Amino acid sequence: MSLLDLDAAAREELAAKVREEYETLKARNLDLDLTRGKPSSEQLDLSNDLLELPGKGNYVDASGTDVRNYGNLKGIKDIREIWGDLIGVPVDNLYAEDSSSLNIMFDLITWSYLFGNNDSQAPWREEETVKWICPVPGYDRHFAITEKLGFEMITVPMLDDGPDVDAITELVKDPAVKGMWVVPMFANPTGVTVSDDVVRTLASMETAAPDFRIVWDNAYAVHVFTEDTPQIINVLDVAEEAGNPNRFWVMSSTSKITHAGSGVAFFASSTENLDWYASIAGIRGIGPNKINQLAHAKFFGDADGVRALMQKHAQILTPKFEAVLEILENRLGEYDVARWTTPAGGYFISLDVVDGTATRVWELARDAGITLTKAGSAFPKGEDPNDRNIRLAPSLPPIDEVRTAMDGVATCVLLAALEKLEG
């Protein structure tokens, strides 16, 4: 039964009840935060042994190199072998860098803009317009990069099997379209994993721009809630088989696996792409933090060590996500005022409310002491044309706070929907 099915008297009774609940909520003077997908302190504690690694006198990598010194732009092989095994990429096609894959993405796009990449006929800054495809809902920090550079951002819907490839294959016929964002596994914020068919279409489609690039930000590839880790597709092999070996820039990192601010980021791509990257990265700096890379290699041991750690993360995260989904269903399911995703991994739940009410839900929650990611943040420039999407991030707070916050959010969703019907 939806709100629309209620007669006037029943709707008035429900509205009075929800308003009373909201006033009670405000009176609690809460201070709760569901904004960003940060690991909780309990998750961060899982990697505290890192703080004592690699250990005094233990500063030589497997090749016999002293990691305390300059050099080795690629990063040490010890950690690259572990990560290559984990994500199914040959170690020779993988760089290990400093803590942030976002930094690498910013560099790749900015350098293409300033200098052109290895397939460019000219720097992108010389183009009259640079266009970029943005699947939505998507990752706000991705969109901030292309917005900062003044690109025209074209949205396509994120479907159940990945971004809308029918729309994309038409858009890439325009030579001004230089690339696109994709989070291929447990996407931010929908939790969608891109299907094999979509991967192969993206790898094989004809693009008018010879230097078209897909930023394949596989940030959540091993962030699963079950013991069954999905197959990670080696898009580099798929692209090479399709005759487009340089199409993908693949990202990964330990940011939500160990300590978010001091992890290791990874960049995988074709040999040509990596050579182009190194030609500029080698001028920007002499090499990454190899001591930290060695510490991570010793901490993990091997790819199975990473997987075992992720199961511990899952034991902490899964109850929080289950609590969110349970409350959404119990409080909102019968009224047909919201839709939400049920991810099998990652860090987010995507909540769609009644069109035109997401901003109001955000305001009501804010006024009740519950901070949500601002409505529309999962769209370029923060502009959701339907004003319906809110990203939920339940990872950081303790589970009791998650339950309290989500019960309050459900009240705000109902109140905003009722206000719209009345208005």
Side-chain angles (χ1 to χ4, degrees):
M1 177 177 64
S2 74
L3 285 185
L4 295 175
D5 294 328
L6 297 176
D7 59 31
R11 194 180 301 165
E12 286 179 11
E13 181 181 351
L14 177 63
K17 176 175 177 289
V18 172
R19 285 193 172 90
E20 182 179 352
E21 289 174 351
Y22 181 69
E23 292 305 317
T24 302
L25 181 69
K26 285 177 67 177
R28 295 177 68 178
N29 294 315
L30 299 174
D31 184 13
L32 304 176
D33 191 331
L34 294 179
T35 53
R36 300 219 69 88
K38 294 181 179 179
S40 65
S41 295
E42 188 180 1
Q43 289 175 263
L44 297 174
D45 286 345
L46 296 174
S47 299
N48 279 347
D49 287 349
L50 259 176
L51 301 176
E52 298 180 5
L53 293 172
K56 187 176 180 180
N58 196 351
Y59 44 75
V60 176
D61 67 12
S63 70
T65 300
D66 188 335
V67 297
R68 299 173 300 174
N69 219 324
Y70 289 121
N72 193 356
L73 191 66
K74 278 191 172 184
I76 65 170
K77 199 169 185 180
D78 311 49
I79 192 66
R80 290 191 294 120
E81 286 181 334
I82 292 172
W83 222 257
D85 185 12
L86 188 70
I87 65 172
V89 172
V91 68
D92 289 339
N93 290 101
L94 185 66
Y95 273 40
E97 299 293 276
D98 289 327
S99 64
S100 174
S101 57
L102 194 67
N103 287 357
I104 301 173
M105 290 182 264
F106 183 87
D107 285 348
L108 290 166
I109 296 173
T110 303
W111 295 347
S112 295
Y113 183 77
L114 289 174
F115 313 117
N117 63 48
N118 43 299
D119 287 321
S120 298
Q121 297 172 339
W124 292 357
R125 60 184 165 82
E126 295 181 7
E127 304 278 350
E128 183 176 348
T129 304
V130 177
K131 300 178 183 179
W132 200 268
I133 299 171
C134 301
V136 292
Y139 182 27
D140 53 343
R141 291 193 181 275
H142 282 168
F143 302 152
I145 293 174
T146 38
E147 179 182 353
K148 190 69 175 178
L149 290 168
F151 294 0
E152 180 183 330
M153 293 180 285
I154 307 169
T155 61
V156 297
M158 193 71 166
L159 306 177
D160 291 341
D161 61 348
D164 185 345
V165 289
D166 290 337
I168 292 166
T169 51
E170 287 299 313
L171 289 169
V172 296
K173 294 176 181 178
D174 180 352
V177 175
K178 293 294 188 180
M180 67 177 291
W181 299 110
V182 182
V183 180
M185 298 184 70
F186 310 126
N188 177 353
T190 61
V192 165
T193 294
V194 178
S195 71
D196 288 10
D197 287 344
V198 169
V199 171
R200 296 187 185 284
T201 300
L202 294 175
S204 61
M205 64 186 180
E206 292 187 19
T207 64
D211 50 356
F212 177 88
R213 294 292 185 266
I214 298 175
V215 180
W216 196 254
D217 186 6
N218 217 350
Y220 306 106
V222 295
H223 292 264
V224 295
F225 297 155
T226 67
E227 293 184 2
D228 299 323
T229 303
Q231 179 73 28
I232 300 174
I233 300 172
N234 182 351
V235 293
L236 303 184
D237 281 352
V238 176
E240 186 169 7
E241 291 168 5
N244 298 305
N246 297 339
R247 177 155 295 175
F248 290 92
W249 291 332
V250 179
M251 304 297 144
S252 184
S253 81
T254 70
S255 288
K256 291 184 174 72
I257 295 173
T258 56
H259 294 156
S262 56
V264 181
F266 300 90
F267 171 41
S269 202
S270 67
T271 300
E272 284 187 22
N273 285 351
L274 292 176
D275 287 346
W276 168 77
Y277 172 78
S279 71
I280 305 173
I283 296 171
R284 182 200 59 185
I286 300 173
N289 182 343
K290 299 181 294 299
I291 295 175
N292 188 41
Q293 292 183 1
L294 183 60
H296 275 76
K298 291 186 176 300
F299 177 68
F300 291 134
D302 55 23
D304 283 339
V306 181
R307 296 184 185 103
L309 178 61
M310 296 317 299
Q311 287 302 306
K312 295 178 182 178
H313 279 277
Q315 290 168 11
I316 298 168
L317 285 171
T318 302
K320 296 181 181 182
F321 277 76
E322 289 176 344
V324 172
L325 297 173
E326 176 190 344
I327 290 167
L328 288 173
E329 180 59 37
N330 289 344
R331 292 291 315 279
L332 303 179
E334 66 179 299
Y335 296 114
D336 195 24
V337 292
R339 297 284 186 274
W340 52 87
T341 56
T342 55
Y347 262 70
F348 304 99
I349 291 171
S350 184
L351 174 66
D352 284 343
V353 296
V354 173
D355 281 13
T357 68
T359 299
R360 180 59 177 154
V361 171
W362 178 84
E363 291 171 347
L364 288 167
R366 177 200 62 194
D367 294 345
I370 303 168
T371 306
L372 300 175
T373 305
K374 197 163 186 180
S377 66
F379 291 73
K381 299 183 179 180
E383 298 172 357
D384 175 0
N386 298 299
D387 190 24
R388 71 161 70 118
N389 184 255
I390 297 172
R391 185 183 72 185
L392 302 174
S395 59
L396 182 63
I399 191 165
D400 289 345
E401 291 187 9
V402 170
R403 288 187 174 278
T404 299
M406 283 309 306
D407 191 62
V409 168
T411 297
C412 296
V413 170
L414 268 175
L415 181 54
L418 287 161
E419 286 178 349
K420 184 173 182 182
L421 280 175
E422 292 168 349

